Amino acid sequence: MISRQNFSRRSILSGSVAAALAMGAWPLAARAQSGTVRFILPNATGSGVDTITRAAQPALSKAFNASVVVDNQPGAGGVVGLQALARSAPDGNTLSIVSNNVVIFPSVLKSLPFDMPGDFTPIAVVGATPMVLVVNPSKVQATNSKEFIALLKSKPGALNFASGGNGTILHLATELFLEQAGVSAKHIPYKGVGPMVTDLIGGQVEFGTAALPSVQAHIKSGALRAIGVLTAQRTPAAPEIPTFAEQGLPNFVVDAWFAVIGPKGLSPAHVKKAHDAVVAAFDDPAVREAMTKQGNTISIGTPEQAQATFRSELAKYAALVKKAGIEPQ
């Protein structure tokens, strides 16, 4: 069993006041303004979800026939931005693109300032993003999974790994790696992927798991080294990076999907309008090309399928959290 990390409910929920203030700073008239659609992202600039949203932003504006504004509200691993979305008016003008972090929170936190999925309206699961475990090449000499596991075994608990926040998919994925490899390391949570990647490159932390789009340029430049992708098969966006399955960890496969959601109470008309716009935007040739380059796969389901996915994934990650030995705090 891996060592259990100390999830601080106080630190996670300290963003509640900040989220409320953030909502107050956005005038009600602006939130309801016709012709403007705001996408609140519970992630920092440079994260996988942020990269996806900004690549699709022009096409989304065209599909909505409105100005699309990207509003990053990171903090507490994503809880701050989700609370802001939950407090938004259900008028179809405020939406979000989220990762599967949202279905992990209920398993790692005893208390949340919202109900998942009850306080939200799933509109569509859009696709999936490959994740990759990376190391700082100046701090870690290992070039593959076997060498990296051997290094971790030789220095139990000595290396630090970064994540985009306690209880995020990036945190959980690395915990699962440690468990399956039979090794230990110290978790260093960050307030988003941007600061996490900065410190990975700077050598303040030795390794971490990230969405491929958020670190691919740094892998190509040599600032980071990829140990393996967490997908079942190699990703076309980076076919040179082996999977962990082919490196001796056949069960270390973690999916990272992304979805469009809105606040609770969206009318069927608002849901249809948003769904139609998402389908049109992600079918745009330029967006599809951008998604392919990032390694993302696009397969947009219906709102009903999104509802079912959220509920099944809540149960799935509850089981994974329990297996990883992470106790809710």
Side-chain angles (χ1 to χ4, degrees):
M1 183 66 67
I2 62 174
S3 61
R4 294 175 178 175
Q5 299 297 331
N6 179 24
F7 288 84
S8 170
R9 186 174 68 179
R10 179 178 297 175
S11 67
I12 290 288
L13 299 181
S14 63
S16 298
V17 173
L21 290 174
M23 284 303 301
W26 189 279
L28 181 61
R31 294 202 302 270
Q33 179 185 354
S34 177
T36 300
V37 177
R38 180 169 61 133
F39 275 77
I40 296 177
L41 301 189
N43 312 82
T45 301
S47 67
V49 166
D50 177 76
T51 303
I52 290 166
T53 307
R54 293 185 185 277
Q57 188 176 7
L60 285 168
S61 295
K62 181 179 178 180
F64 276 104
N65 192 27
S67 174
V68 168
V69 176
V70 178
D71 180 10
N72 295 87
Q73 292 196 31
V79 172
V80 170
L82 287 171
Q83 186 180 16
L85 179 66
R87 291 172 178 263
S88 300
D91 55 14
N93 292 322
T94 305
L95 302 170
S96 181
I97 296 182
V98 298
S99 70
N100 44 350
N101 286 338
V102 299
V103 294
I104 298 174
F105 291 139
S107 297
V108 297
L109 299 173
K110 289 181 179 178
S111 179
L112 283 170
F114 49 76
D115 175 61
M116 175 57 68
D119 285 336
F120 303 93
T121 303
I123 293 168
V125 175
V126 179
T129 300
M131 292 194 294
V132 59
L133 191 150
V134 294
V135 300
N136 179 292
S138 66
K139 296 286 185 176
V140 177
Q141 300 304 310
T143 59
N144 56 49
S145 178
K146 182 179 180 180
E147 293 175 355
F148 186 48
I149 291 172
L151 173 64
L152 290 167
K153 286 183 176 180
S154 71
K155 299 180 178 180
L159 273 66
N160 298 322
F161 76 89
S163 81
N166 278 325
T168 61
I169 186 62
L170 303 184
H171 174 200
L172 181 58
T174 310
E175 292 282 12
L176 291 174
F177 165 76
L178 296 175
E179 186 213 21
Q180 293 193 17
V183 295
S184 63
K186 182 180 179 181
H187 177 218
I188 308 296
Y190 284 81
K191 293 182 179 180
V193 175
M196 162 192 162
V197 173
T198 296
D199 274 11
L200 270 169
I201 294 171
Q204 283 75 25
V205 283
E206 284 85 9
F207 71 104
T209 302
L212 179 61
S214 65
V215 293
Q216 191 167 19
H218 304 302
I219 294 172
K220 290 181 178 179
S221 72
L224 295 173
R225 178 187 298 127
I227 297 297
V229 290
L230 282 57
T231 49
Q233 306 293 331
R234 294 197 185 198
T235 172
E240 72 281 3
I241 304 176
T243 67
F244 279 96
E246 64 187 277
Q247 296 187 82
L249 293 178
N251 297 320
F252 185 46
V253 177
V254 182
D255 296 321
W257 48 260
F258 54 98
V260 176
I261 65 174
K264 177 183 178 181
L266 284 181
S267 69
H270 284 140
V271 171
K272 184 179 186 306
K273 179 181 178 181
H275 186 270
D276 289 349
V278 169
V279 170
F282 281 89
D283 194 44
D284 181 278
V287 175
R288 285 214 170 250
E289 181 181 1
M291 295 300 104
T292 299
K293 287 182 178 178
Q294 293 175 12
N296 301 314
T297 57
I298 304 300
S299 180
I300 302 176
T302 66
E304 293 75 21
Q305 289 171 328
Q307 291 276 4
T309 295
F310 270 62
R311 296 195 179 281
S312 65
E313 291 283 280
L314 281 164
K316 169 187 171 181
Y317 281 103
L320 287 176
V321 167
K322 183 177 180 180
K323 181 180 179 182
I326 299 174
E327 293 186 348
Q329 297 292 322

